Amino acid sequence: MALNKPYLDVPGTTIFDAEQSRKGYHLNQFCMSLMKAENRARFKANERAYLDEWPMSEEQKLAVLARDLNRCIALGGNIYFLAKIGATDGRSFQQMAGSMTGMSEEEYREMMIKGGRSAEGNRFVGEDGDALAHRHPHGAARRAARGDGKAGRA
């Protein structure tokens, strides 16, 4: 019997649970390797070669190379581990978060200063407003993974 996960109904949000942890184990271990200067240097010298040393999926490697952090998260990455990639690139957490929302760093900062995003329309999939699953990359990715393309629960 599958575990009921009501938190999957939060639009645009991936909860880092045991399933995500298993899926992203090697991706997150790669990220942690970037804490060592010699590994950062090797990665920066030839990113693909360094990634190929890790038993990650090709999809995970491509997401890292593209710096598609939303895709990395959907593939099991944890933002606190993924922050090591940003640090390696000389990017702040704020810059990374902005890129994940489709905003500039300045737009993201301003939104957060004003209190962040409204909860209206972002509580559960199907709620009027921004909660529509097709507006969120994680919802679209989950539907694609299921292969049904149906709206509703992401």
Side-chain angles (χ1 to χ4, degrees):
M1 180 167 102
L3 179 64
N4 182 26
K5 296 181 177 184
Y7 52 80
L8 292 180
D9 209 21
V10 180
T13 301
T14 300
I15 306 297
F16 190 73
D17 61 6
E19 182 180 345
Q20 285 294 101
S21 178
R22 282 189 297 277
K23 187 169 31 170
Y25 178 79
H26 294 292
L27 169 59
N28 293 316
Q29 290 299 303
F30 149 74
C31 291
M32 290 303 292
S33 78
L34 298 176
M35 291 182 65
K36 293 184 177 180
E38 60 268 21
N39 291 338
R40 289 191 300 274
R42 288 180 53 229
F43 176 64
K44 289 169 87 173
N46 188 334
E47 292 184 5
R48 183 62 204 215
Y50 189 76
L51 286 170
D52 284 342
E53 295 177 21
W54 296 88
M56 297 163 34
S57 72
E58 182 64 16
E59 194 173 10
Q60 288 170 325
K61 292 175 185 180
L62 291 174
V64 170
L65 291 169
R67 300 306 193 266
D68 185 344
L69 300 178
N70 287 324
R71 191 72 192 129
C72 286
I73 288 173
L75 296 170
N78 179 292
I79 190 59
Y80 297 106
F81 295 123
L82 295 171
K84 309 302 186 246
I85 299 171
T88 298
D89 290 340
R91 298 181 73 201
S92 70
F93 198 85
Q94 184 171 285
Q95 288 170 316
M96 291 174 56
S99 75
M100 294 171 72
T101 61
M103 298 178 189
S104 69
E105 179 183 6
E106 295 76 23
E107 291 168 327
Y108 180 78
R109 181 185 320 109
E110 186 65 26
M111 177 193 66
M112 295 307 290
I113 288 170
K114 290 180 178 176
R117 294 183 188 203
S118 169
E120 291 302 315
N122 287 301
R123 292 187 197 127
F124 55 90
V125 173
E127 179 184 12
D128 290 336
D130 289 339
L132 300 173
H134 69 277
R135 294 186 183 165
H136 296 276
H138 295 73
R142 285 197 185 103
R143 285 191 310 283
R146 280 197 322 247
D148 63 12
K150 295 179 186 171
R153 218 181 157 126

